[in-house]
Amino acid sequence: MKREQDITAFVFLSPNIFGFLIFTLFPVLAALALSLFRWDIFNAPKFIGLQNYLDLLGWVFEDKSFQWIDPDFWKYLGNTIFYLLAIPLSMAASLFLAIILNQKLRCRIFFRTVFFLPTISASIGLLILWKYLYNGDYGLFNFLLSNIGIDGPGWLTDYHWAKPSIMMMMIWGSMGGVAMVIYLAGLQNIPRELYEAAELDGANGWNQFCHITWPMLAPTTFFIFVTSIIAGFQSGFDAAYILTQGGPAGATTTLDYYIYNHAFVYFNMGYASTIAVVLFFIVFCVTMINWRFGGRKVHYG
Amino acid sequence: MNAKLGITIMPIVFGLALLVVLILGWAYYQTQEEQGQSEDEKTRLVLALNVSHRDRPFFVETIDAFMKEHPNIEVEIRNIAGVRYYQKILIMIAGNVAPDLMWMGQSFAEFAYKGAFLDITDRLKDIPIDEYLPPALSWYRMNGRQYGVPYAIHMRIFAYNKKHFDEAGIPYPSDDWNFDEFLEITKKLTIDKDGDGKIDQYGFRGGLHRATFGAEIFSDDGQLALCNTPEMVHFFQTRLDLAFKYKVQPTLEMRNHEGRNTVMDKYPPFAQGRYSIIDAGNGDRAVMLEKCADIDWDFVLCPKVKRQAQWSSSAAIVISADTRHPDESWELCKVFISDKFQKSMALSGMPTNIKAAEEVIAEHRGTPSNLKAVLRAYDFLYPTPRVPNLKELEAIYVDAEEKIMLRMATPRDALDDAQRKMTLAIKKLNERSR
């Protein structure tokens, strides 16, 4: 009987297991292997050992100074890290929305749906919408600014404005999404008695938030932070692809887009895989650091 | 699940894996069987195109006529229009489902170096090859072997608003004008109409061609980076001066406000009178006739700086090296090389068949009245050299260009950096080729 149950369980799990093996594990292992090769898709891959890693992370002594062999990688890593700054802001916005939606408001189901809409809408459509909003000449933002006498910037075309503009868009897209729903669930799990006791002691709303809500949400916050960091390192591709093509002057190119360019524009599959592997290790190390130092400060229950 | 379970389920895992492999293998076999041979024993050719909705009907009409003439051949068009065309073609080739014939332009060499195309050198005796523009033929030649014959030439050419010239009392420019004349004219055409301190009409929008300065990104064989030559520095300094010193053209930031320099972005402002001269394309004639219908405009060649030069590109239909039907593909290919087809496509690119091009000019009436300038430019066409890693090298150049034009770096610094990166990229390419 037990054996039959196990077989049944496995049969039900097998589509997912095979999906994972074929579409996740195999590509990951293939990328790891390909990072040791030179491959342009047409010709047979050529084993070159760690050369791709040396080209990516190495440096040369030239003109009396050390220079990165691939300075673009470091620049785009910087862009990627810059986008991570959106995470705390996005989390704060998600928490704020969750607290609002946790109140006994009229139409709160409607508002929950509305705030979640960007998450389930086609990202391409949303990006094209943002492209029009950001347009320097006839976009909504510059139109509104011009009404109060401000000559708006080229949101996506100015080197200094392009990254913050995309960050703003990211915050908008993620604040009402999964993080808000998780926070909402977290809020609903906080025992009501704690607030009642605090009220009896004369604590105001802010004190209740600081001493009950925030500490009780620590595991939720930690989970959202860790997953957002992991996702953040892999973000920016769709915005670069649709809105800016990585420009101006590489200002919005992230490591994801850099990988794509090397793989499918320059046909350097081996080098693209190397960047992907290095990105994996960066994400892995950052996550470990988060667990090591952040995890300690989280109290569960 | 316990340890014993591993032993129990292993046969199931292997069984399922075997099943997946068998299904995939069968599907692949079926695809290979069906590819090229339809049910009624017709030879089936797949033609991949990258053409606009304006050009597609010409191809459809031509192919319909071809299929009537060749009832045993069926042609399927796959139009993959857009900037990702080459990527998709590459993936099709890598996936062993390459189209029999495919459209090719600037990226020809990237594929040809990889052996993607059928050598048609020995088949050229079927066509009057002497009638074709020799440089255009050379663009599709690699190591002495011919892989394609382009059906159209696209070149950068200036378009100007005649009304602006009339209002300023300036005679229309001639094809042999030089940079000094160009600068003087653009200064006169740059006007702040309402006196609010902002320029309402710019003399120029676009870019001069580096080849007119004697500059090039890299050598013809792609083995030498030429990013930081004095000619290139001069070229960029002149572009900066036009935008920031003489203010006869908008800065890159201002231009970017209008879009990414596509045909949809640059012609409407020209039609609205915001610019007097723009860099246009002879292949955009159909778009211009539609978008700029309300103004009187004409073509003029780019001004001479160090030499006269027109940036150019081309389009050809080439045959896949993997086609199962080389003879039938060549039959179809010949149709696209024919002067009849080239003439029908003249709005999107001038024929490479010189006789056909001359006929197009002779038969042309209306706007632009100086269409013959396109034919005159046949003597000094400068396409980007055909090299295997064109996109990678061009990306380095474009990055430097943006840094200079956004004034994030001086021309010297940005170009020195580009030179270093490009030299490294060429070295890497050579290592990859070994």
Side-chain angles (χ1 to χ4, degrees):
Chain A
M1 189 63 189
K2 177 78 171 67
R3 190 183 157 191
E4 277 176 14
Q5 279 179 345
D6 288 343
I7 291 171
T8 310
F10 179 78
V11 169
F12 277 108
L13 285 172
S14 58
N16 209 355
I17 291 173
F18 277 106
F20 171 76
L21 290 177
I22 295 168
F23 298 114
T24 305
L25 188 63
F26 174 70
V28 168
L29 295 177
L32 198 61
L34 269 179
S35 69
L36 305 174
F37 287 81
R38 226 174 240 139
W39 187 39
D40 66 358
I41 298 185
F42 273 87
N43 301 303
K46 187 183 169 194
F47 181 76
I48 53 164
L50 295 174
Q51 190 59 48
N52 282 331
Y53 289 91
L54 293 174
D55 290 345
L56 184 69
L57 305 171
W59 60 84
V60 288
F61 190 70
E62 213 173 64
D63 298 333
K64 297 176 186 171
S65 64
F66 285 101
Q67 293 182 0
W68 296 111
I69 294 175
D70 185 353
D72 289 341
F73 169 76
W74 300 101
K75 179 180 174 179
Y76 302 149
L77 177 62
N79 289 347
T80 310
I81 291 170
F82 186 89
Y83 283 146
L84 296 182
L85 296 176
I87 291 173
L89 298 172
S90 169
M91 285 174 64
S94 297
L95 178 58
F96 178 73
L97 285 180
I99 290 171
I100 300 275
L101 294 176
N102 199 36
Q103 309 300 314
K104 285 176 181 161
L105 299 171
R106 285 177 69 187
C107 307
R108 65 178 175 169
I109 301 291
F110 169 76
F111 284 113
R112 282 178 189 178
T113 311
V114 167
F115 286 128
F116 200 68
L117 266 180
T119 309
I120 53 170
S121 303
S123 63
I124 303 294
L126 293 174
L127 287 167
I128 290 170
L129 187 75
W130 275 94
K131 193 175 184 177
Y132 283 109
L133 293 174
Y134 276 143
N135 186 283
D137 280 342
Y138 46 85
L140 180 69
F141 295 148
N142 278 3
F143 169 74
L144 294 174
L145 287 173
S146 70
N147 282 342
I148 53 170
I150 297 173
D151 195 10
W155 296 96
L156 296 173
T157 54
D158 182 292
Y159 184 82
H160 303 288
W161 275 102
K163 264 198 293 278
S165 300
I166 288 182
M167 261 177 74
M168 277 197 282
M169 200 180 67
M170 285 175 165
I171 292 169
W172 174 85
S174 58
M175 69 184 194
V178 178
M180 182 192 77
V181 173
I182 296 173
Y183 266 132
L184 201 52
L187 285 169
Q188 287 170 0
N189 277 335
I190 300 175
R192 188 72 220 140
E193 299 80 40
L194 294 178
Y195 291 105
E196 287 166 3
E199 272 171 26
L200 286 174
D201 289 344
N204 60 22
W206 176 248
N207 285 336
Q208 287 179 27
F209 174 79
C210 292
H211 299 290
I212 300 172
T213 311
W214 182 246
M216 292 299 282
L217 284 177
T220 312
T221 303
F222 182 64
F223 171 77
I224 294 172
F225 183 72
V226 170
T227 51
S228 300
I229 291 279
I230 293 169
F233 271 107
Q234 299 163 49
S235 69
F237 174 81
D238 41 6
Y241 187 87
I242 304 290
L243 298 181
T244 59
Q245 287 80 52
T252 58
T253 301
T254 58
L255 286 182
D256 248 21
Y257 193 62
Y258 193 45
I259 291 169
Y260 165 81
N261 274 339
H262 267 289
F264 297 106
V265 180
Y266 313 145
F267 311 144
N268 298 332
M269 285 291 170
Y271 197 69
S273 301
T274 308
I275 305 169
V277 171
V278 170
L279 178 61
F280 167 78
F281 275 104
I282 292 171
V283 175
F284 183 78
C285 292
V286 170
T287 307
M288 283 298 108
I289 291 167
N290 273 334
W291 278 107
R292 181 80 178 80
F293 297 103
R296 273 188 201 167
K297 297 190 168 103
V298 176
H299 302 284
Y300 297 87
Chain B
M1 292 200 191
N2 51 33
K4 205 176 163 187
L5 177 67
I7 302 164
T8 313
I9 64 170
M10 281 314 273
I12 303 174
V13 174
F14 280 113
L16 281 171
L18 190 65
L19 190 67
V20 170
V21 170
L22 285 174
I23 291 169
L24 291 176
W26 176 79
Y28 179 78
Y29 174 77
Q30 284 298 109
T31 313
Q32 293 298 304
E33 277 296 291
E34 284 169 13
Q35 196 179 21
Q37 215 68 30
S38 59
E39 284 174 10
D40 52 1
E41 295 305 312
K42 275 186 176 179
T43 300
R44 187 165 161 272
L45 300 177
V46 176
L47 167 65
L49 293 176
N50 176 19
V51 296
S52 69
H53 68 280
R54 286 186 178 82
D55 291 346
R56 196 172 188 276
F58 295 111
F59 279 89
V60 172
E61 198 180 299
T62 305
I63 287 164
D64 285 346
F66 175 80
M67 288 197 290
K68 271 185 193 153
E69 270 182 45
H70 302 81
N72 60 325
I73 302 176
E74 188 182 295
V75 183
E76 183 199 334
I77 297 177
R78 286 188 197 162
N79 195 18
I80 316 169
V83 289
R84 315 290 170 193
Y85 171 79
Y86 292 115
Q87 254 167 266
K88 288 171 184 169
I89 289 293
L90 174 86
I91 291 163
M92 286 166 86
I93 295 172
N96 210 15
V97 287
D100 298 280
L101 298 103
M102 59 198 109
W103 182 94
M104 271 292 137
Q106 268 210 89
S107 287
F108 161 78
E110 289 174 83
F111 289 84
Y113 270 102
K114 296 177 170 80
F117 305 135
L118 186 76
D119 180 355
I120 58 165
T121 314
D122 298 334
R123 297 174 189 265
L124 291 178
K125 59 183 183 304
D126 296 351
I127 59 169
I129 197 69
D130 296 339
E131 290 181 10
Y132 294 85
L133 187 70
L137 289 173
S138 73
W139 300 338
Y140 291 84
R141 199 177 293 140
M142 195 70 63
N143 301 324
R145 310 302 293 175
Q146 195 76 30
Y147 294 94
V149 176
Y151 64 82
I153 291 176
H154 309 129
M155 70 181 73
R156 181 180 292 179
I157 190 163
F158 285 2
Y160 63 94
N161 187 327
K162 286 183 170 179
K163 189 180 161 200
H164 288 188
F165 279 74
D166 294 340
E167 286 171 350
I170 306 168
Y172 300 140
S174 63
D175 287 331
D176 58 352
W177 61 337
N178 60 35
F179 179 76
D180 293 336
E181 290 166 316
F182 164 79
L183 182 59
E184 283 312 306
I185 288 172
T186 51
K187 278 181 186 172
K188 286 177 186 165
L189 291 171
T190 301
I191 303 168
D192 170 14
K193 287 182 178 171
D194 52 14
D196 66 350
K198 286 184 181 175
I199 294 165
D200 303 297
Q201 177 187 302
Y202 279 98
F204 182 55
R205 180 202 198 274
L208 297 165
H209 183 27
R210 55 181 175 264
T212 58
F213 289 76
E216 198 39 270
I217 309 176
F218 39 77
S219 57
D220 282 347
D221 60 3
Q223 289 299 304
L224 190 62
L226 300 169
C227 288
N228 61 350
T229 58
E231 289 83 4
M232 190 67 94
V233 176
H234 179 208
F235 166 59
F236 274 107
Q237 191 55 55
T238 306
R239 286 181 65 183
L240 283 174
D241 289 348
L242 288 175
F244 296 102
K245 185 176 170 188
Y246 304 117
K247 298 183 181 355
V248 296
Q249 73 165 16
T251 62
L252 184 61
E253 289 103 319
M254 291 156 80
R255 269 177 56 185
N256 284 344
H257 264 263
E258 291 170 355
R260 303 290 297 185
N261 207 31
T262 65
V263 289
M264 301 310 289
D265 297 326
K266 67 179 176 183
Y267 294 125
F270 176 60
Q272 289 155 11
R274 196 163 167 179
Y275 303 107
S276 301
I277 305 170
I278 60 167
D279 67 339
N282 73 310
D284 297 341
R285 232 176 355 125
V287 183
M288 291 187 74
L289 288 170
E290 184 188 313
K291 301 272 177 203
C292 311
D294 296 335
I295 61 167
D296 192 8
W297 58 274
D298 206 350
F299 277 155
V300 64
L301 294 182
C302 305
K304 179 182 172 184
V305 183
K306 200 170 176 181
R307 65 185 176 197
Q308 195 139 30
Q310 304 290 133
W311 178 86
S312 61
S313 180
S314 59
I317 301 295
V318 297
I319 303 170
S320 165
D322 296 331
T323 182
R324 292 175 168 200
H325 313 288
D327 296 333
E328 291 86 348
S329 296
W330 172 241
E331 280 305 308
L332 179 57
C333 195
K334 279 195 296 187
V335 175
F336 300 118
I337 297 170
S338 72
D339 54 351
K340 187 184 165 198
F341 178 76
Q342 294 203 0
K343 280 176 72 177
S344 73
M345 292 292 293
L347 268 177
S348 301
M350 199 51 94
T352 55
N353 182 308
I354 299 167
K355 203 177 92 200
E358 285 169 347
E359 284 171 15
V360 167
I361 301 294
E363 290 163 15
H364 173 71
R365 301 286 178 274
T367 306
S369 55
N370 188 27
L371 186 62
K372 60 183 176 298
V374 177
L375 193 60
R376 206 172 288 141
Y378 274 20
D379 294 332
F380 32 84
L381 297 176
Y382 281 84
T384 307
R386 268 38 182 172
V387 294
N389 56 343
L390 179 67
K391 292 253 166 35
E392 200 172 344
L393 299 186
E394 269 193 337
I396 294 168
Y397 174 79
V398 169
D399 186 56
E401 182 182 32
E402 287 193 334
K403 281 177 186 156
I404 295 168
M405 298 314 292
L406 293 170
R407 291 195 295 179
M408 293 164 58
T410 64
R412 171 54 68 192
D413 288 347
L415 294 170
D416 281 347
D417 186 44
Q419 176 74 8
R420 193 180 68 79
K421 284 183 185 170
M422 201 173 283
T423 304
L424 193 68
I426 291 169
K427 191 177 147 209
K428 293 261 162 262
L429 173 79
N430 290 338
E431 284 171 8
R432 283 204 291 271
S433 317
R434 275 203 293 273

